[in-house]
Amino acid sequence: RVDFATIAHKNRGYAALNPNARFQKAPSLEDILASPIIATPIGKFDCCANGDGAAAVVLASEAFVARVGARHPVWVRAAELGGGVLGYRLFDDPMMHLARKAYEIAGLGPEDIQVVECHDNFSIGEFEAYERLGFCAHGEAHLYLRAGKSRIGGDGAAFNPSGGLLGRSHPAGATGCVQIGSIVRQLRGEAGRLQHPRSRVGLVQTSGGGVMELQSNATAVMIFSL
């Protein structure tokens, strides 16, 4: 449970530095560990809150960008969308397949990514993403976390520097665009106190739209670069 609480503590701490986040006060790790259990070992602070919000992304062709002389464009290197049959996720992980395909299309790998916004609707979601997106080997997510590799300034890819769903909250229809906006600011060096140094390539993973008792959530994996 301490590992999950550490993720919640990290993301709520980042949210306190993000003026667009819902939660502007960072709880202590002790407060998070003392919060009520929702479903063992997940506590109250390990669960995101729904919220109201809006976001937009301007998508343009390379020719249009050249014609209007847009400054500091961020390029879409890969964008993959897929899902899976409910119940098969234990044996066949759509997120892993989509990440591998996105890396192949972009000609990049996890080692080339400096910053990630992933769908941390629960703290375990970010914990699993360390492995499922290829940032560490299977069974080593706890080592990646405990080494501080997922933190801003850490020796790895910074995860959810905007505060993630745990700290920013989850306006469901807007969340994916908000994640993209966070990555764009990181790559442009416009993230202020939340800036991860030397960010050149970023990844967004978001999920949603499952069909109860039939289909697991659709998942998108997108890679962006300067």
Side-chain angles (χ1 to χ4, degrees), residues 78-92:
E80 293 299 308
L81 173 68
V85 177
L86 194 67
Y88 278 78
R89 292 172 69 185
L90 294 174
F91 311 102
D92 187 26

Side-chain angles (χ1 to χ4, degrees), residues 5 23 40-41 48 69 74 82 84-85 88 95 112 121 129 158 178 192 197 222:
F23 297 109
T40 304
C48 77
V74 171
V85 177
Y88 278 78
M95 190 195 301
D112 300 305
N121 51 343
V178 173
M222 296 162 277

Side-chain angles (χ1 to χ4, degrees), residues 21-197:
R22 175 178 176 180
F23 297 109
Q24 293 290 300
K25 183 178 179 180
S28 68
L29 183 61
E30 291 73 21
D31 288 340
I32 293 172
L33 287 168
S35 66
I37 292 292
I38 303 301
T40 304
I42 300 297
K44 177 181 177 181
F45 285 101
D46 294 305
C47 309
C48 77
N50 288 335
D52 294 327
V57 171
V58 177
L59 186 65
S61 68
E62 187 174 356
F64 180 84
V65 169
R67 186 166 70 251
V68 302
R71 295 189 303 164
H72 310 303
V74 171
W75 304 105
V76 182
R77 299 290 297 273
E80 293 299 308
L81 173 68
V85 177
L86 194 67
Y88 278 78
R89 292 172 69 185
L90 294 174
F91 311 102
D92 187 26
D93 187 342
M95 190 195 301
M96 292 176 63
H97 291 306
L98 292 168
R100 290 179 188 137
K101 189 172 181 181
Y103 291 140
E104 181 180 354
I105 291 171
L108 299 167
E111 66 279 2
D112 300 305
I113 309 292
Q114 289 84 44
V115 62
V116 176
E117 287 282 345
C118 76
H119 196 85
D120 62 325
N121 51 343
F122 302 98
S123 56
I124 193 173
E126 180 176 313
F127 189 83
E128 290 181 338
Y130 300 157
E131 297 179 9
R132 296 168 75 187
L133 295 174
F135 288 90
C136 62
H138 180 71
E140 295 185 1
H142 63 296
L143 300 178
Y144 193 86
L145 174 69
R146 294 172 191 177
K149 292 187 175 183
S150 61
R151 291 184 173 275
I152 294 172
D155 185 24
F159 271 71
N160 291 317
S162 68
L165 281 66
L166 290 172
R168 216 180 42 238
S169 88
H170 183 27
T175 288
C177 287
V178 173
Q179 291 174 303
I180 292 171
S182 171
I183 293 297
V184 167
R185 285 190 292 274
Q186 287 284 337
L187 300 188
R188 288 177 172 169
E190 299 173 348
R193 290 185 292 174
L194 295 170
Q195 183 68 49
H196 183 59

